[in-house]
Amino acid sequence: MQQDKPQDSYIRLRIAADTKQQFQQLCKSKAINSSELLRQLITQWIHEQQDITIIHKRSSDI
């Protein structure tokens, strides 16, 4: 029996070549997987935005 796994999705973005190089160098120097770091940053941003939305919805009830 095979469990359903969430299907991966990809995001492509454009950044300056020097920005990409700096990012990759910093990740390498700190032994951080750059893809995992980007996934964490996106997830964190989503949670922050959801928290802001909840606060705005609650304040409108006042």
Side-chain angles (χ1 to χ4, degrees):
M1 193 182 311
Q2 202 175 32
Q3 289 184 348
D4 292 334
K5 292 182 183 180
Q7 189 172 1
D8 288 343
S9 183
Y10 298 90
I11 296 176
R12 293 183 69 180
L13 60 113
R14 291 183 186 188
I15 59 172
D18 61 329
T19 302
K20 178 185 174 187
Q21 183 180 14
Q22 289 175 21
F23 178 72
Q24 289 176 325
Q25 287 176 343
L26 281 168
C27 287
K28 185 175 180 178
S29 71
K30 297 177 179 290
I32 297 171
N33 180 294
S34 58
S35 293
E36 180 60 29
L37 176 57
L38 290 171
R39 285 190 291 271
Q40 290 175 5
L41 290 170
I42 291 170
T43 302
Q44 178 183 349
W45 185 82
I46 289 169
H47 290 300
E48 289 171 357
Q49 298 310 305
Q50 289 172 337
D51 290 345
I52 290 170
T53 302
I54 290 169
I55 290 169
H56 287 294
K57 285 182 179 178
R58 288 183 184 157
S59 64
S60 66
D61 291 342
I62 298 175

